[in-house]
Amino acid sequence: MIYNFLPYMVLPLYVSLSKIDKSVIEAARDLGAGWWQTLRRILVPLTLPGIVSGSTMVFIPALTTFVISALLGGNKVLLVGNIIEQEFTAAYDWQLGSALSMVLMVFILLNIALEAFSDQKDRARGRGAA
């Protein structure tokens, strides 16, 4: 699953990092910031849209790949999708399966709302600079 979802995280990070002007990092170095301060105060805030976008692009499909772990792992690794599927098919506990599905849906909606908020904040920053 890591090989499957790694490009979905790396590519948004690469795009975010490639948009950063090198003079910003040089200015931080000239002002006396070490590599840790440059990372924490310059690189992470500027790449936050890429981090949120990549996390969303990995998080949502990874929740539904319970078939891969069931086939390759022999049901030794339990993912949320595995548990929901087992509640519906093996345990016939539709109430718990539905409740777990709703909790999962809330996490997905929160993740989408976080990305929309981050995108809106990023657009507001872009308009203010122009």
Side-chain angles (χ1 to χ4, degrees):
M1 284 175 42
I2 291 173
Y3 292 132
N4 192 14
F5 295 124
L6 188 64
Y8 294 114
M9 188 66 195
V10 170
L11 292 175
L13 285 176
Y14 174 74
V15 169
S16 293
L17 286 171
S18 67
K19 288 182 179 180
I20 297 174
D21 191 11
K22 293 187 189 323
S23 63
V24 173
I25 297 171
E26 291 175 9
R29 291 291 194 171
D30 288 343
L31 291 171
W35 68 271
W36 177 251
Q37 285 181 328
T38 304
L39 177 74
R40 187 171 53 103
R41 294 187 181 205
I42 305 291
L43 290 177
V44 171
L46 290 176
T47 58
L48 193 60
I51 293 169
V52 172
S53 175
S55 298
T56 301
M57 289 183 358
V58 170
F59 175 69
I60 293 173
L63 294 173
T64 60
T65 57
F66 60 90
V67 175
I68 294 173
S69 67
L71 292 175
L72 296 177
N75 284 336
K76 292 178 186 173
V77 177
L78 289 178
L79 298 174
V80 176
N82 289 74
I83 295 171
I84 293 172
E85 188 257 340
Q86 286 175 3
E87 291 300 322
F88 281 111
T89 59
Y92 296 109
D93 190 0
W94 287 41
Q95 291 84 10
L96 182 58
S98 298
L100 290 173
S101 296
M102 289 303 293
V103 168
L104 186 62
M105 189 57 123
V106 166
F107 281 130
I108 290 171
L109 291 174
L110 286 174
N111 196 346
I112 291 171
L114 176 68
E115 183 172 355
F117 177 73
S118 175
D119 189 40
Q120 183 182 21
K121 193 174 176 184
D122 187 41
R123 286 183 186 179
R125 252 190 241 150
R127 281 189 224 144

